[in-house]
Amino acid sequence: MFNQFNREDISDRARAAFVGMAIGDALGATVEFMTASEIASKYGTFRDIIGGGWLRLKPGQVTDDTEMALCIGRAIVKSQTWSLEAVADNFAAWLKSRPVDCGDTCRKGIRAYLLHGQLESPPNEWDAGNGAAMRLLPAALFSLPDEELLKKYVLEQAHITHNNPVSDAACICLGQLIHLALCGGEKSRLRRQADGLVARFPTFVFEPYRGLATGYVVDTMQTVFHWFFRGRSFEECLVGTVNQGGDADTTGAICGMLAGAYYGMEAIPKRWIKKMDRTVIAEIEDMVERLIAASPVGRRF
Ligand code: MN
Ligand code: MN
């Protein structure tokens, strides 16, 4: 059963989710846009944070996935409430700061906010990239354990750039999985939740796994589900995911947040934490405490 609402346990899992996301981003970025066989011939199994990749990163440097999540987290912490304008303002300031990377759909949505104050992109059947899912973690932490708030925050932040039913379904399911994992849900329970998504949107079916790991949110979630549900440790889940290549920093970030929430800090390899950008980890640790303290569950403690 759920280990519900044990403060220490929830804080530990929430920290592991956020740190795990940043680690998945930094690890996967090295092999982003490579194929699984290119990774295998270059590295055997790729399992260390070494930087490089097409973005020529420093070891432990994160990309847009983590940076956009931090934008959402900072907006919540500063406002002490849910303010979509504050989120969009932070996205806008981030885009102007010439980030190391930014997806096309994200850029388009943020530009529309800058030019017209648009907080909700018009529905678009092509905007089914993974850019809304990759950054939703702060919205999941701040809404814990309220499912209605989760849906509201997750979708509102998504629609600044991605307004698409397939992206929406992935975002809600990912948020629900994170809530379940933070509250100590077993993998069988999480699996039922993922199967529920597949029942409503059969396109997400991940068994048998097709081996596609592109930036299309369906491929991304299939990859994360496949490796998360078969992995037996944080490391196994994440290594399997990024070795699939493709949009590996983003599949890594999403698998890292989910596996982090599920396995907790103890399970995250120290060699990975040591390689991470210290400033980013320090901000994450402080932010997570504040997000949980301001969430519905935090106000019960
Ligand atoms: Mn990225
Ligand atoms: Mn990416």
Side-chain angles (χ1 to χ4, degrees):
M1 263 314 286
F2 282 29
N3 207 343
Q4 286 201 49
F5 313 147
N6 169 321
R7 165 97 218 203
E8 298 286 292
D9 191 53
I10 287 178
S11 289
D12 179 87
R13 289 173 187 277
R15 198 175 317 130
F18 220 133
V19 170
M21 175 193 70
I23 285 176
D25 182 6
L27 179 72
T30 303
V31 293
E32 189 180 20
F33 300 132
M34 291 173 75
T35 66
S37 55
E38 284 167 353
I39 295 169
S41 58
K42 184 161 181 188
Y43 298 104
T45 301
F46 175 71
R47 48 173 72 251
D48 287 301
I49 295 175
I50 56 171
W54 75 284
L55 294 171
R56 301 175 183 277
L57 302 170
K58 292 181 238 115
Q61 188 179 349
V62 296
T63 75
D64 50 337
D65 309 63
T66 304
E67 288 168 352
M68 293 192 85
L70 288 170
C71 286
I72 298 176
R74 287 178 198 132
I76 298 169
V77 167
K78 187 173 174 207
S79 317
Q80 284 294 303
T81 183
W82 180 251
S83 163
L84 198 59
E85 282 89 352
V87 171
D89 283 340
N90 285 355
F91 285 172
W94 169 76
L95 185 62
K96 287 183 190 163
S97 78
R98 302 171 135 267
V100 63
D101 192 20
C102 177
D104 293 340
T105 309
C106 289
R107 187 183 304 274
K108 186 179 68 173
I110 298 167
R111 280 203 177 136
Y113 175 70
L114 278 165
L115 290 171
H116 317 296
Q118 175 183 284
L119 284 168
E120 181 172 12
S121 294
N124 185 330
E125 68 170 305
W126 305 107
D127 289 347
N130 55 23
M134 72 185 190
R135 63 183 188 230
L136 63 71
L137 181 61
L141 298 181
F142 182 57
S143 59
L144 189 71
D146 187 318
E147 195 174 358
E148 291 312 307
L149 283 181
L150 173 75
K151 288 179 184 165
K152 172 182 158 65
Y153 299 164
V154 157
L155 292 185
E156 285 186 5
Q157 70 80 23
H159 290 177
I160 296 175
T161 55
H162 294 64
N163 190 351
N164 175 281
V166 176
S167 165
D168 287 357
C171 288
I172 290 173
C173 180
L174 176 61
Q176 289 168 328
L177 290 171
I178 292 165
H179 273 196
L180 287 168
L182 291 171
C183 295
E186 292 297 333
K187 242 183 213 188
S188 54
R189 176 68 188 86
L190 274 65
R191 176 66 200 242
R192 283 207 302 283
Q193 198 73 28
D195 289 343
L197 172 68
V198 173
R200 288 187 307 282
F201 290 83
T203 184
F204 284 100
V205 69
F206 56 99
E207 224 177 57
Y209 176 52
R210 298 182 306 152
L212 300 180
T214 74
Y216 177 42
V217 73
V218 169
D219 296 348
T220 300
M221 294 310 296
Q222 285 174 349
T223 298
V224 170
F225 289 152
H226 175 76
W227 290 106
F228 174 72
F229 287 116
R230 72 157 38 194
R232 288 159 303 175
S233 65
F234 178 86
E235 183 168 356
E236 227 177 74
C237 296
L238 206 50
V239 166
T241 297
V242 300
N243 277 272
Q244 213 62 55
D247 196 359
D249 63 322
T250 305
T251 57
I254 295 175
C255 186
M257 71 178 88
L258 186 55
Y262 185 78
Y263 290 104
M265 281 305 292
E266 197 49 43
I268 301 184
K270 303 286 174 288
R271 73 175 199 284
W272 284 349
I273 297 179
K274 279 192 205 137
K275 278 281 190 288
M276 293 301 293
D277 182 328
R278 287 314 308 162
T279 323
V280 170
I281 298 297
E283 181 176 8
I284 286 174
E285 290 186 336
D286 179 65
M287 182 180 286
V288 166
E289 280 310 307
R290 292 171 192 271
L291 290 172
I292 293 293
S295 73
V297 77
R299 285 186 259 118
R300 292 189 205 177
F301 295 127

